[in-house]
Each structure stands twice: as structure tokens, then as C-alpha cells.
Amino acid sequence: MLNDALRLIRVYHNQTQAQVSEGLGLSKSYISEIEKSRKKVSMETLQKYADYFGVPASSLMLFAENLENPSASTKVKNAVAGKVVKMLDWLATISDADPDKVRG
């Protein structure tokens, strides 16, 4: 779930994988592999994310833990947040592809 937390914090801050990879000094493909849960997150990488986004590493770990073991109300909040994140990803995708599509 830590992988999902790192993806969500990136999306929340409206950062692309390329921007985060440059800021962290890691390759874009490595960021992609982390977000797809194909690579485990080391403590060093976690700290880089924490420093980059200005949050304590412990907060990222707590956020990840809450994603893994949510209460009933948290499940609803996460479901809504997930839909919002998907919508933001979709908007980013279409705006990158053709800016006129967003304007109408």
C-alpha cells in the first residue's frame, strides 16, 4: 500500500512521474515501477519522497497503513477520493493530448 500512497501524494500535488523523478534524482521508469507495485520502496526512497513533498516519512507510512486497513467511513472516503484521482488523471491525460478538449 505504500506504493499507492506515493502515487496518490504525487497526483495530489499535481506532479507528473517525470517531475517527481527529476526532483528525487530517480529514473521515471523506477517511479513508474514503484507506483505499479513492481518495486519495493526502500527507506531511502521513502525519505526522498518525504523531503520532496515536505511531509514526514512517518506520515507517508501512516497514510499507507490507513489505505490498507480502513474503517467503514474511511472506505467511503477512499472510494470517493479514488474516483476523484481517476478523474484528475483523465483530465491530465486529455489536456496533455489535446488542450482544446478540456476547453470544450
Side-chain angles (χ1 to χ4, degrees):
M1 295 312 278
L2 186 55
N3 304 66
D4 289 333
L6 296 180
R7 180 184 62 80
L8 288 171
I9 194 169
R10 175 185 63 79
V11 171
Y12 175 79
H13 286 280
N14 198 29
Q15 296 279 301
T16 64
Q17 287 180 346
Q19 290 169 316
V20 171
S21 71
E22 184 177 322
L24 301 181
L26 301 170
S27 71
K28 182 181 173 293
S29 63
Y30 186 69
I31 299 297
S32 177
E33 294 291 308
I34 286 173
E35 290 186 2
K36 292 176 182 176
S37 298
R38 293 183 182 150
K39 299 278 185 188
K40 291 192 178 208
V41 180
S42 68
M43 288 304 295
E44 179 183 346
T45 300
L46 180 65
Q47 189 59 54
K48 286 182 179 187
Y49 268 87
D51 293 342
Y52 182 75
F53 289 109
V55 297
S58 60
S59 293
L60 291 172
M61 294 175 73
L62 181 62
F63 178 59
E65 184 178 315
N66 285 332
L67 285 175
E68 190 171 330
N69 300 311
S71 66
S73 64
T74 303
K75 287 180 184 179
V76 172
K77 289 176 190 174
N78 287 343
V80 171
K83 298 291 183 191
V84 169
V85 167
K86 285 182 181 181
M87 183 181 71
L88 291 172
D89 282 341
W90 174 76
L91 286 172
T93 301
I94 65 168
S95 66
D96 287 344
D98 185 359
D100 292 330
K101 288 183 180 179
V102 176
R103 292 186 202 115

